[in-house]
Amino acid sequence: MSGEQKTKAKAEQAKGKAKEAVGRMTDDERLEAEGRAEQAKGDARDAKEKAKDVFKH
């Protein structure tokens, strides 16, 4: 897996979790939804890179 892409995926996941937590604490549904969306984007990037690795080997 590309180190740079893996790092981006983990950063998106962490940022999303933080946004979701802040949204939950402040009852901001929009922020909470943005956080879940960022986590999903990070998950998708991670899955894509893992799939690339499978086909490289």
Side-chain angles (χ1 to χ4, degrees), residues 38-52:
E38 281 190 39
Q39 286 182 67
K41 185 177 174 184
D43 291 343
R45 183 187 304 267
D46 193 35
K48 180 179 109 179
E49 291 302 314
K50 285 181 182 178
K52 281 184 187 178

Side-chain angles (χ1 to χ4, degrees), residues 12 25 34 37 50:
E12 282 175 338
M25 287 188 299
E34 284 178 16
K50 285 181 182 178

Side-chain angles (χ1 to χ4, degrees), residues 19-51:
K19 271 189 178 181
E20 184 179 6
V22 170
R24 198 175 302 128
M25 287 188 299
T26 60
D27 288 330
D28 186 339
E29 291 179 13
R30 192 185 103 223
L31 189 59
E32 198 173 336
E34 284 178 16
R36 283 193 300 271
E38 281 190 39
Q39 286 182 67
K41 185 177 174 184
D43 291 343
R45 183 187 304 267
D46 193 35
K48 180 179 109 179
E49 291 302 314
K50 285 181 182 178

